Amino acid sequence: MPSMNDLVRQHTALGDSDLEWLHLLVSEWQLLSDLSFADLVLWVPTRDGTRYVSVAQMRPNTGPTSYQDDMVGHLVPRGRRPLLDAALDEGRIVREGDPEWREEVPVRVESIPVRREGRVLGVIARNTNLLTVRTPSRLELTYLQSASDLAQMIAAGSFPFPGQQVDMDASPRVGDGLLRLDADGIVQYASPNALSAYHRLGLAADLVGHHLGRATAELAPSRGPVDEALAKVASGWAPREFEIEGGDGVIQLRAIPLKPKGPRIGSLVLLRDVTELRRRERELITKDATIREIHHRVKNNLQTVAALLRLQARRIDSATGREALEEAVRRVGSIAIVHETLSQNLDERVEFDEIADRVLAMVAEISPGKVTGRRTGRFGILDAEVATPLSMVLTEILQNALEHGFREGDTGTVEVSAVRGGTTKDARLLITVQDDGVGLPEDFDPHRSGNLGLQIVRTLVEGELGGNFDMVRAPERGTRVLLDVPVRGDK
C-alpha cells in the first residue's frame, strides 16, 4: 500500500507544510472516528483538479465499519461524489443527501473540509454504518455532539492543534473514559469508565456538576502552588496531557478545548486508568536498578580478587608463578570490564567497542617493546552472555600476541578488526586479530597446542559461543587469528 507521503507528492500540488498538517490531522483523527462511530477517508484533489485521491483511512473502535476494503490509493473523478465537491468548493460541512447502500448496508455520508491557514487542502468523508443505529444513550449523544464540535474545528482550521503531536498509542482513547466540561470547567457528562477512574483516586461523590480542576487538585497529594496550575490544566483551558496520582490509583488525562465557532465553549477530557501500568513500570525500574547494582558489586568483587592476586604475585619469588598470577589478574580484569559496562545499562546488552578498546589498552601494558594496538570496524551491541566470554577470548589472544610475537625492544602493531555480517536470523561477528611480530613456528597447530591461553580460547569460542577459531601465519609477517561467532541480528 502506498504511503500518504507518496500519494500526496505523486498526485497533488500540496507543499511540505500542507503535508505536515495532514500528518498532524491523521495522528489525531482516531478521536473523531470513535466519537462519530464512523469510518473516515481523507480525499485530496489531484494536481489538475479533475479527480480526488484517497490518502488515508481510519475505522472506528466504537462501531461497525462501513468499508470492508482499504480505500487508500483510490482515485475518483470530480463530479462522481457531489458531497466532496460541495465541501471543497464551499468550504463547509455537507450533510445533504440520502444514505448510500454498500453491500446491502445503508451508509450515511458527510463531508468535512480540511482547512489550513484559510485554504481547503482536502475533504474528510465521514461514513456511518446505519445498520445498527438505535435510540442513542446519553453517552452516545455526548460522543456525537463532541464529534460535531471537532468537525467544525477541522473545517475552521483550528484542529488539530499545531505543535501538539500526540502519540495515540500512549494517549487515552475515547473508550477509556470521557468527560465533557462547559466553558467554566464544570463537568456536564462523565462516562462510567471516567467515573470509575476518579473513584479509584478517592472521589466519593459524582463528578457531574462539579468543577473538574478543583476536584482533581483536591484528590492529588498537596503540592502547594502547583495545585492551582493543576486545577487550571484539568479545567481544559488548553490542549495538555498530564497524570494525577492519588488514593490507590493513577490516571492519565488529556484535555481538548472545544472551539467550534471561535471562542471556547467547553472541553473534552479523555482519561485512562494507568494504575497497573505504572505499577509494572515501577517494578521494572526497581528490577533494573537491582540488576545494575548486582553487576556493580560483581565488578567490585572481581577487582578485589584481582588486587589480591596482584599482591600475591609480588610475594612470589618464582618468575613463572608470578607471570601466571599476572595473567590471572588480566583475565579477571576483562570480566570486570564487562560487568562495569552492564552496571551502567538498562538491559543485559553492551556496546562492545568500548570494552574492546579497554581490553586492548589493558593488555598493551604488558608489551615487551613499543607495540601499539588499534581497532577497526564495529563489534556493535552484544548480549551479556556473548560479551563476557568474548572479552576473555580477546584478552587471551592479545596477551598471546604480545608475549610470543614480540621480543624486548621490538616495535610493531596489533590490530583488532570486527565486521558484522549475515542475515537477521543468522547474524555473524567476524573478528580478526593480526600482529606483525615473529609469526608462528612451522609445525605449530593451534588446535593441539597445550598453551593454557589457547585452550581457554578454544573452549570459550567453540564450546560457549558456538563459533569457530583459527590461527594462521599472516600473509607478509606475523600471526593472524580468525574468529567467527554467531550473534543477534540487531547492531
Side-chain angles (χ1 to χ4, degrees):
M1 180 183 295
S3 68
M4 185 165 73
N5 284 357
D6 295 337
L7 291 170
V8 169
R9 287 170 178 152
Q10 179 181 353
H11 295 286
T12 79
L14 298 182
D16 290 342
S17 58
D18 294 331
L19 179 58
E20 186 61 32
W21 182 262
L22 295 184
H23 275 294
L24 188 60
L25 172 66
V26 169
S27 73
E28 294 271 29
W29 72 344
Q30 180 74 64
L31 174 62
L32 177 62
S33 178
D34 290 345
L35 290 172
S36 303
F37 308 99
D39 290 72
L40 306 178
V41 179
L42 177 58
W43 297 92
V44 180
T46 57
R47 191 175 286 105
D48 59 8
T50 62
R51 296 180 295 175
Y52 297 96
V53 58
S54 59
V55 299
Q57 178 178 0
M58 178 58 66
R59 293 184 173 90
N61 293 319
T62 52
T65 183
S66 302
Y67 284 111
Q68 298 301 323
D69 299 326
D70 287 325
M71 296 296 296
V72 175
H74 283 219
L75 289 160
V76 297
R78 184 178 171 88
R80 180 175 294 179
R81 301 194 177 184
L83 295 186
L84 294 182
D85 298 338
L88 183 69
D89 296 339
E90 301 173 22
R92 66 180 179 88
I93 298 174
V94 182
R95 298 189 175 94
E96 299 87 354
D98 297 326
E100 298 180 2
W101 287 83
R102 300 175 188 160
E103 299 179 357
E104 301 183 354
V105 175
V107 177
R108 183 177 64 241
V109 181
E110 304 167 81
S111 295
I112 305 167
V114 177
R115 193 183 303 273
R116 174 180 177 266
E117 296 180 352
R119 295 184 301 114
V120 177
L121 307 182
V123 179
I124 294 176
R126 180 163 55 175
N127 304 267
T128 306
N129 186 325
L130 299 178
L131 199 60
T132 58
V133 170
R134 60 186 185 276
T135 302
S137 64
R138 178 73 188 282
L139 180 144
E140 290 170 329
L141 288 172
T142 303
Y143 277 20
L144 292 172
Q145 179 58 54
S146 302
S148 177
D149 293 336
L150 284 178
Q152 292 182 60
M153 291 170 65
I154 292 173
S158 57
F159 186 84
F161 304 109
Q164 292 289 326
Q165 188 76 33
V166 175
D167 181 1
M168 292 306 297
D169 292 332
S171 293
R173 294 177 179 264
V174 169
D176 295 327
L178 178 141
L179 301 171
R180 172 97 185 199
L181 314 183
D182 65 13
D184 296 322
I186 305 299
V187 179
Q188 295 179 313
Y189 175 78
S191 72
N193 284 346
L195 195 57
S196 295
Y198 264 83
H199 284 166
R200 190 163 188 177
L201 286 182
L203 180 72
D206 193 358
L207 272 174
V208 176
H210 291 79
H211 189 279
L212 182 66
R214 288 195 288 269
T216 303
E218 289 172 0
L219 294 171
S222 179
R223 295 180 292 177
V226 181
D227 290 344
E228 183 178 347
L230 175 62
K232 192 173 183 180
V233 171
S235 299
W237 67 278
R240 296 284 177 84
E241 285 196 24
F242 59 100
E243 284 189 7
I244 174 73
E245 182 172 359
D248 296 325
V250 182
I251 60 174
Q252 180 184 13
L253 299 98
R254 181 190 176 199
I256 304 168
L258 296 176
K259 305 175 181 180
K261 296 181 180 179
R264 186 171 69 87
I265 64 168
S267 57
L268 283 181
V269 177
L270 305 181
L271 58 93
R272 178 172 59 177
D273 186 341
V274 293
T275 305
E276 294 305 314
L277 178 63
R278 295 296 176 259
R279 182 184 62 80
R280 289 194 296 269
E281 286 178 351
R282 284 193 285 265
E283 288 178 353
L284 288 174
I285 291 172
T286 302
K287 179 181 177 182
D288 289 338
T290 302
I291 291 173
R292 289 198 300 271
E293 178 63 21
I294 290 172
H295 284 301
H296 181 71
R297 294 190 181 188
V298 169
K299 182 263 296 185
N300 288 344
N301 290 339
L302 289 172
Q303 288 180 337
T304 301
V305 171
L308 293 173
L309 291 173
R310 197 175 291 112
L311 287 172
Q312 187 65 41
R314 293 172 183 171
R315 294 175 175 270
I316 294 180
D317 295 331
S318 168
T320 302
R322 187 164 53 250
E323 182 178 338
L325 286 177
E326 289 172 351
E327 288 181 357
V329 168
R330 286 187 287 273
R331 288 166 185 149
V332 172
S334 67
I335 301 174
I337 291 173
V338 176
H339 282 281
E340 181 180 3
T341 305
L342 287 169
S343 70
Q344 300 168 1
N345 293 342
L346 293 176
D347 54 18
E348 291 292 288
R349 313 198 71 203
V350 296
E351 175 61 66
F352 197 80
D353 295 306
E354 177 186 353
I355 294 174
D357 291 340
R358 293 179 63 179
V359 168
L360 193 59
M362 178 181 69
V363 176
E365 295 176 359
I366 68 169
S367 171
K370 296 181 179 180
V371 180
T372 58
R374 65 170 178 262
R375 175 181 59 84
T376 60
R378 288 192 69 249
F379 286 86
I381 298 174
L382 300 178
D383 292 331
E385 59 262 28
V386 174
T388 301
L390 187 58
S391 67
M392 287 194 64
V393 167
L394 199 56
T395 300
E396 296 299 333
I397 293 174
L398 291 170
Q399 187 170 284
N400 188 74
L402 292 171
E403 287 186 354
H404 302 289
F406 300 94
R407 300 184 181 88
E408 190 72 35
D410 285 352
T411 59
T413 303
V414 177
E415 179 175 329
V416 178
S417 65
V419 177
R420 299 285 284 257
T423 63
T424 302
K425 292 184 178 180
D426 185 26
R428 315 289 296 185
L429 177 59
L430 307 177
I431 305 167
T432 303
V433 181
Q434 183 167 322
D435 65 70
D436 53 3
V438 298
L440 298 172
E442 291 290 340
D443 58 348
F444 182 80
D445 183 354
H447 299 284
R448 297 180 179 273
S449 172
N451 180 284
L452 176 60
L454 292 182
Q455 288 181 9
I456 292 174
V457 170
R458 287 198 303 270
T459 300
L460 292 176
V461 173
E462 297 173 357
E464 189 162 343
L465 295 175
N468 300 312
F469 158 72
D470 200 6
M471 191 173 188
V472 298
R473 280 178 169 271
E476 296 180 1
R477 181 186 176 189
T479 303
R480 176 181 292 174
V481 178
L482 304 170
L483 303 175
D484 180 0
V485 179
V487 293
R488 277 175 54 172
D490 49 337
K491 299 180 180 181

